């Protein structure tokens, strides 16, 4: 679709993390942006503070008249799958002949003419995307970025670089929406089974990732976490921490004063040592993927090292709420067994002498049903567990 001539954009589900990033993008590009969400939240409050109109009434009358009265080719309505088909406001707009598209379609249109750096995987996308965005915005470099969380360095899930032709995008496998992208460079972090309500089985999910990888052209680059085997036409760099066989790896990985120190090696060459204050061995591996993308974008090694050292992380991704000698409280969005294991192992590595209590709320009934045994195994790594109702 063509965004030329669009003056107004209305979002059904504007408070979602992905939808709000798109809303911020259009708003910063000078368009009139408004939207609906079910309930107020800190994110909708921030959108209102930034100048976007948000309402919490599902009735057709709540859609601002200036959107309804606009010519059909000048206004765009975007909806998320979280909005039910029976939503009165959404149905009213459709009945008036307005175009209502998915978030993935809007993203496809925005990045169609850009050099797209896409980060895919059933977990790790948001942290890695935020790292890539931070590294690509070092020195004289810049990139627009659409993130699935609030990156602390930007205090936002959206970075607009109007003079840059590079876009950093989370390639979301849910509903196969990442197949709408045309990435120049891609990272595939993991293909662990997830969203089986959409895919049916793990093999179907993996095939979808292979289709995504095939979208990268021969003059592009695919960063594959070591162990993920795919036959693709684009050049491939494998990556993994402390590996003897990966193209991009770490050596002398250690923790000093709560920070990770490691050397980065690319195809047998020592690029130098980096310091990363963001905790977690899995995040050191995510950093390798981000470093590979930054190298492809011609970011200098000194800028990469400085950027990684100054990376502050993402809200709700191993985020410290309390950090004292006698107690530590960490907030983490881990909602897949693999993510829980990585989070707990990171806490154990950093605090080997402490007793670890987890407070866990399963996210989605279908995921809880499909991976009940795996959740049991990962949560068993905790010393104590407070288990809440399924969200």
């Amino acid at each position: 679709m063509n965004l030329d001539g669009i003056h107004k954009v209305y979002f059904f589900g504007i408070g979602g993390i992905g939808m709000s990033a798109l809303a911020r993008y259009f708003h910063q590009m000078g368009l009139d942006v408004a939207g609906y969400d079910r309930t107020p939240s800190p994110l909708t409050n921030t959108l209102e503070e930034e100048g976007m109109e948000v309402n919490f009434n599902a009735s057709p009358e709540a859609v601002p008249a200036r959107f309804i009265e606009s010519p059909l080719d000048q206004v765009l309505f975007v909806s998320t799958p979280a909005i039910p088909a029976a939503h009165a406001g959404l149905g009213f707009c459709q009945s008036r002949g307005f175009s209502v598209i998915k978030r993935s379609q809007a993203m496809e249109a925005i990045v169609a003419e850009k050099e797209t750096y896409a980060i895919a995987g059933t977990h790790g996308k948001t942290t890695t995307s935020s790292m890539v965005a931070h590294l690509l915005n070092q020195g004289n470099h810049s990139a627009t970025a659409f993130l699935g969380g609030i990156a602390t360095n930007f205090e936002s899930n959206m970075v607009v670089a109007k003079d840059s032709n590079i876009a950093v995008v989370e390639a979301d496998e849910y509903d196969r929406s990442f197949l709408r992208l045309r990435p120049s460079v891609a990272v595939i972090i993991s293909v662990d089974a997830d969203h089986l309500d959409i895919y049916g089985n793990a093999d179907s999910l993996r095939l979808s990732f292979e289709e995504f990888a095939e979208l990268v052209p021969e003059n592009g680059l695919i960063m594959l976490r070591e162990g993920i085997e795919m036959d693709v036409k684009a050049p491939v760099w494998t990556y993994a921490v402390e590996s003897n066989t990966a193209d991009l790896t770490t050596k002398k990985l250690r923790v000093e004063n709560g920070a990770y120190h490691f050397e980065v090696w690319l195809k047998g060459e020592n690029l130098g040592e980096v310091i990363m204050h963001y905790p977690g061995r899995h995040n050191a591996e995510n950093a390798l993927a981000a470093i590979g993308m930054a190298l492809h974008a011609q970011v200098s090694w000194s800028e990469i090292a400085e950027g990684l050292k100054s990376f502050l992380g993402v809200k709700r991704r191993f985020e410290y709420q309390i950090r004292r000698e006698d107690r530590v409280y960490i907030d983490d969005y881990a909602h897949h067994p693999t993510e829980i294991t990585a989070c707990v192992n990171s806490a154990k590595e950093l605090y080997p002498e402490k007793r670890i209590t987890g407070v866990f709320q399963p996210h989605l009934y279908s995921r809880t049903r499909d991976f009940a045994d795996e959740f049991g195994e990962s949560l068993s790594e905790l010393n104590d567990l407070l288990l809440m109702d399924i969200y």
Side-chain angles (χ1 to χ4, degrees):
M1 63 170 294
N2 193 341
L3 295 176
D4 293 342
I6 298 294
H7 300 295
K8 298 178 175 65
V9 187
Y10 190 87
F11 290 87
F12 288 100
I14 195 170
I17 195 69
M19 293 283 274
S20 60
L22 289 178
R24 282 171 155 158
Y25 172 81
F26 284 119
H27 181 68
Q28 291 188 41
M29 296 304 289
L31 278 65
D32 184 0
V33 176
Y36 157 86
D37 213 287
R38 187 175 176 181
T39 56
S41 68
L43 191 46
T44 60
N45 294 341
T46 302
L47 295 180
E48 290 180 300
E49 291 169 2
E50 292 174 5
M52 285 166 268
E53 181 179 346
V54 182
N55 75 76
F56 307 97
N57 186 340
S59 69
E61 292 76 17
V63 180
R66 67 185 185 277
F67 286 82
I68 300 299
E69 295 168 0
S70 293
L72 294 180
D73 60 349
Q74 293 183 13
V75 63
L76 184 66
F77 290 87
V78 185
S79 184
T80 174
I83 300 297
H87 187 280
L90 176 61
F92 174 73
C93 294
Q94 291 172 322
S95 69
R96 294 290 294 265
F98 287 105
S99 172
V100 180
I101 65 172
K102 294 181 178 180
R103 176 173 66 90
S104 59
Q105 291 173 286
M107 182 68 74
E108 176 186 16
I110 291 171
V111 303
E113 302 301 323
K114 293 183 180 293
E115 184 179 355
T116 303
Y117 284 52
I119 294 85
T122 46
H123 43 77
K125 292 188 295 292
T126 298
T127 297
T128 306
S129 299
S130 299
M131 284 180 175
V132 172
H134 183 57
L135 295 184
L136 264 56
N137 279 283
Q138 297 297 304
N140 295 320
H141 307 272
S142 62
T144 293
F146 301 85
L147 308 173
I150 304 300
T152 306
N153 289 93
F154 305 113
E155 285 298 325
S156 180
N157 55 348
M158 176 73 244
V159 183
V160 175
K162 295 182 179 180
D163 297 329
S164 174
N165 194 46
I166 295 178
V168 178
V169 178
E170 284 193 35
D172 190 359
E173 74 280 359
Y174 182 80
D175 201 24
R176 298 178 172 85
S177 62
F178 61 172
L179 299 182
R180 292 186 176 276
L181 300 172
R182 293 297 178 268
S184 304
V185 187
V187 169
I188 299 180
I189 303 168
S190 58
V191 292
D192 293 340
D194 199 4
H195 303 303
L196 298 187
D197 54 324
I198 300 292
Y199 288 97
N201 57 59
D203 289 339
S204 178
L205 173 68
R206 184 184 177 82
L207 285 174
S208 190
F209 274 98
E210 291 181 355
E211 287 183 60
F212 168 75
E214 277 297 316
L215 298 174
V216 181
E218 293 181 8
N219 61 347
L221 175 67
I222 299 177
M223 303 283 303
L224 277 182
R225 185 177 178 274
E226 189 173 48
I228 301 174
E229 301 293 337
M230 290 186 183
D231 184 16
V232 294
K233 61 179 180 287
V236 171
W237 286 359
T238 58
Y239 71 93
V241 295
E242 303 296 271
S243 170
N244 294 321
T245 52
D247 295 316
L248 192 59
T249 188
T250 64
K251 290 187 179 181
K252 300 180 180 178
L253 176 64
R254 61 201 185 277
V255 178
E256 295 180 7
N257 299 319
Y260 281 75
H261 296 243
F262 52 89
E263 294 175 353
V264 178
W265 288 69
L266 175 61
K267 297 184 177 181
E269 179 187 355
N270 184 359
L271 301 182
E273 184 170 278
V274 296
I275 299 172
M276 186 180 75
H277 293 284
Y278 198 49
R281 182 173 289 257
H282 60 294
N283 284 322
E285 197 156 69
N286 291 335
L288 285 175
I291 288 169
M293 281 193 151
L295 289 171
H296 184 83
Q298 305 298 311
V299 181
S300 70
W301 175 252
S302 61
E303 290 171 330
I304 289 173
E306 184 57 38
L308 198 60
K309 186 176 182 180
S310 62
F311 180 67
L312 299 176
V314 184
K315 300 292 185 184
R316 299 204 63 205
R317 269 68 173 185
F318 215 89
E319 181 185 12
Y320 284 96
Q321 302 293 330
I322 298 172
R323 196 174 189 177
R324 304 192 326 222
E325 283 296 321
D326 61 330
R327 71 189 64 180
V328 174
Y329 176 54
I330 296 164
D331 186 13
D332 196 284
Y333 183 58
H335 55 277
H336 185 280
T338 303
E339 296 171 341
I340 294 169
T341 298
C343 178
V344 175
N345 286 343
S346 295
K348 287 182 174 180
E349 185 175 33
L350 290 167
Y351 305 103
E353 304 302 320
K354 288 188 179 292
R355 188 173 184 86
I356 301 175
T357 297
V359 182
F360 179 64
Q361 182 173 36
H363 188 268
L364 296 181
Y365 166 80
S366 57
R367 181 184 286 122
T368 309
R369 174 200 62 204
D370 294 337
F371 302 108
D373 290 344
E374 291 84 353
F375 276 120
E377 291 176 11
S378 60
L379 293 170
S380 292
E381 296 297 319
L382 296 161
N383 298 114
D384 299 289
L385 171 66
L386 302 176
L387 187 62
M388 299 173 67
D389 287 339
I390 296 172
Y391 176 77

